[in-house]
Amino acid sequence: MQKLPNLTAAEAIPDAAMAEVERILQTGDLFRYSSDQSPVTLLEAEFAQALGSKFALAVSSCSAALFLSLKALQLPRDAKVLIPAFTFAAVPSAVIHADCIPILCECGSDYRIDLADFEKKIPECSAVIISHMRGHTSNMDAIMELCDNAGIPVIEDAAHSLGTTWTGRNIGTIGKIGCFSFQSYKLLNAGEGGIMITDDEDLIAQAIIMSGAYEHNWQKHPVLHSAFAKWQNQLPLYNLRLNTLSAALIRPQLDAMPDRVKLGRRNHDHVAAHLANCAWIAVPSALQPEKRAPDSIQFNLLNMTDAQVDGFVEQAATLGLKVQVFGRSTDNARAFWNWNFLRSNPDQPKTRAMLNRACDVRLPTRLSLDECDVVAETILDAIDTTMKA
Ligand SMILES: *Cc1c(COP(=O)(O)O)cnc(C)c1O
């Protein structure tokens, strides 16, 4: 069998970005508000246009974007915010940071929100964050209907879902606010960074001020300015701005986005088809209205004991492949029972069962189909060895 490709190395930053970084370093102009046409402002305009939303605000991380979204919604202290039990620890953390209380909602074996549990918990909550984990989109039609009927705002945590569409609409534009990450493991890589999008003038005005547009720096945002007068000097400044260099790294990658989305989906579907014949594996399929943009693959191990699951992970590692079973790796930040910083953390048995069998393998968009074959064959080989033992 051919050698396994490197699944963890990042892709090179485009030459255009390097040239722009060099130019900026020559000027020393690293602060977004020191010029009117900062790369950060340009990135916001380009990102909003690419996604089809009115406003964008670039910040230091997706976590910062989630935090500012909750603050801009003016939720009272101790308001309950419904979040999926399958999400990254940064999500309940953002809720706590905003002085709110995270309420966990069960997720199913397809990694998506369990709608029955969601509907049950909605009445006690004042806002909702939907994490489209690893790009798996929860049923946004059902979620929006339930939340609209209850008059509850939806924030989409689309950190890892950039490029995914739902009935042709970009993920992140369906709720009131969409938040994305530019951390290195996401589709657009600046090392760190995030961005929020919304069509709501009042929310973006507040978020801009709180992100650190002190005094009249908000005038450098090409956003309708009437909303700012109301909020001038009324909001704390959390200083979560994006560095100019980070925006310079992202902008040329925006052009590469459609290709990355296509290649990621091709690679994912190729490996998924390869794994489909294995009796010990189930790969949840996309929902009908969803067009995914994956850079990894998730699959569930069926009819295996804990020991067999752990044996499979070990065997894959021996063959050089890192497989993460969310619930079986120590201190995993996506296992809700590790969130000991929560005041109350009741068990979510459905999500727990899923996390103990859900495997995660990186599948970078740069892989060739031959390299994808090696990944799939290594997974099947490790299963085979484990289940024969
Ligand atoms: C990466 C990620 C985050 C956090 O993004 P940061 O930019 O690192 O703060 C939040 N939610 C999900 C689903 C993620 O994948």
Side-chain angles (χ1 to χ4, degrees), residues 34-236:
S34 57
S35 72
D36 286 332
Q37 281 295 299
S38 150
V40 182
T41 309
L42 297 174
L43 169 66
E44 288 167 348
E46 290 158 0
F47 195 88
Q49 176 162 33
L51 272 285
S53 61
K54 278 194 194 153
F55 311 117
L57 171 66
V59 289
S60 53
S61 68
C62 180
S63 303
L66 291 168
F67 163 70
L68 289 172
S69 301
L70 292 166
K71 295 301 287 182
L73 288 170
Q74 296 287 331
L75 300 173
R77 178 178 287 272
D78 289 342
K80 292 178 178 166
V81 178
L82 193 54
I83 66 169
F86 177 39
T87 186
F88 186 58
V91 174
S93 305
V95 175
I96 289 174
H97 194 188
D99 289 323
C100 296
I101 299 172
I103 300 292
L104 272 48
C105 172
E106 286 271 36
C107 295
S109 59
D110 65 353
Y111 320 128
R112 297 167 171 90
I113 296 273
D114 179 297
L115 286 169
D117 197 46
F118 187 82
E119 187 167 7
K120 201 172 81 196
K121 288 171 178 167
I122 265 283
E124 58 174 318
C125 293
S126 307
V128 162
I129 299 178
I130 303 293
S131 287
H132 305 295
M133 278 300 276
R134 294 289 193 273
H136 298 282
T137 314
S138 286
N139 185 339
M140 288 308 287
D141 294 342
I143 286 169
M144 290 312 295
E145 194 183 333
L146 287 167
C147 291
D148 285 347
N149 287 341
I152 290 172
V154 174
I155 300 167
E156 284 181 88
D157 166 18
H160 210 150
S161 299
L162 185 58
T164 305
T165 59
W166 178 262
T167 53
R169 292 173 69 186
N170 283 307
I171 281 302
T173 65
I174 297 169
K176 213 164 182 55
I177 309 174
C179 301
F180 300 85
S181 174
F182 299 140
Q183 187 264 346
S184 287
Y185 297 144
K186 316 298 161 100
L187 196 68
L188 306 178
N189 169 19
E192 301 282 1
I195 197 163
M196 57 187 280
I197 54 173
T198 182
D199 286 344
D200 190 307
E201 201 187 318
D202 196 57
L203 289 178
I204 202 74
Q206 291 182 68
I208 285 171
I209 291 176
M210 287 189 284
S211 75
Y214 60 91
E215 294 164 356
H216 292 84
N217 276 314
W218 51 259
Q219 287 170 346
K220 295 187 170 129
H221 289 260
V223 174
L224 293 172
H225 284 164
S226 47
F228 289 93
K230 178 174 153 203
W231 295 110
Q232 182 79 54
N233 299 341
Q234 303 303 316
L235 298 167

Side-chain angles (χ1 to χ4, degrees), residues 232-268:
Q232 182 79 54
N233 299 341
Q234 303 303 316
L235 298 167
L237 305 173
Y238 295 104
N239 283 10
L240 301 165
R241 294 173 300 255
L242 189 71
N243 186 299
T244 294
L245 290 179
S246 306
L249 294 174
I250 291 297
R251 291 183 59 218
Q253 295 181 51
L254 276 177
D255 298 334
M257 213 174 87
D259 281 340
R260 288 185 187 176
V261 169
K262 246 186 271 165
L263 290 172
R265 191 182 305 141
R266 180 200 69 168
N267 288 353
H268 173 278

